[in-house]
Amino acid sequence: MTPCGSRGVSNTLGVVTLVGVVVVVAATTGLLSVVFYTPPPVVDDPDTTIAFDYDRGLTDGDNLTIEHTGGDTLHSDRVRIEIAGTNDPEADGVVYWANLSDRDRVSEGDRLVLDHTTLGSSTDRLDLAAARVDVVAEGETQTYTIEQWNGPDA
């Protein structure tokens, strides 16, 4: 028989205790990271550069390429394109970048082509020469016109 104060603890009990401590620490760390996670702020006043490339289509209608050429990345569902002055009232109006793209964000190198197909025009010969196109970012409290394009006859 061994004296009361000199009994040993089994190795299995030590391993189980150590695994239990590791699980509790990992669960606590995971829970705290979820609870205290702060998403990146939405850019309210974006510093973004947009370029336009107009192609006068002589037989199949005009098209306008809009490209993000630098600056802040934007949420595609908060970037709207306002079109006015085309030869087809169905093509005039507002369309969101997200409706014309499968991407969640608009970043450098992303581009859209506005033509009779993407704008839902009833005519195959869309004329953008007298049109005005505004690219607008929607912030939390207001909207910001990033860039404006005026057709050659506007």
Side-chain angles (χ1 to χ4, degrees):
M1 219 165 148
T2 58
C4 278
S6 63
R7 284 178 99 175
V9 178
S10 98
N11 286 340
T12 305
L13 185 57
V15 169
V16 169
T17 303
L18 184 59
V19 168
V21 168
V22 168
V23 167
V24 168
V25 168
T28 303
T29 303
L31 180 64
L32 290 175
S33 66
V34 169
V35 169
F36 293 112
Y37 170 74
T38 305
V42 174
V43 177
D44 206 33
D45 184 9
D47 182 19
T48 303
T49 305
I50 298 289
F52 297 96
D53 184 24
Y54 173 67
D55 182 25
R56 179 81 182 200
L58 299 176
T59 58
D60 59 349
D62 300 348
N63 66 57
L64 180 67
T65 302
I66 303 172
E67 181 177 2
H68 183 300
T69 56
D72 294 329
T73 296
L74 307 168
H75 295 279
S76 62
D77 61 347
R78 298 180 70 129
V79 177
R80 69 179 191 235
I81 300 153
E82 300 173 352
I83 304 141
T86 69
N87 66 327
D88 182 4
E90 291 181 23
D92 287 353
V94 175
V95 64
Y96 282 83
W97 193 293
N99 296 348
L100 302 176
S101 170
D102 59 354
R103 300 188 47 135
D104 294 349
R105 310 236 182 225
V106 181
S107 56
E108 187 171 350
D110 288 345
R111 63 179 57 191
L112 290 178
V113 177
L114 303 181
D115 60 15
H116 72 279
T117 304
T118 58
L119 295 179
S121 175
S122 59
T123 176
D124 289 343
R125 175 78 178 89
L126 182 65
D127 187 359
L128 297 171
R132 188 186 84 223
V133 176
D134 294 317
V135 178
V136 178
E138 296 178 348
E140 290 296 320
T141 57
Q142 63 188 56
T143 59
Y144 302 90
T145 299
I146 298 173
E147 199 68 56
Q148 182 181 78
W149 177 82
N150 291 306
D153 299 340

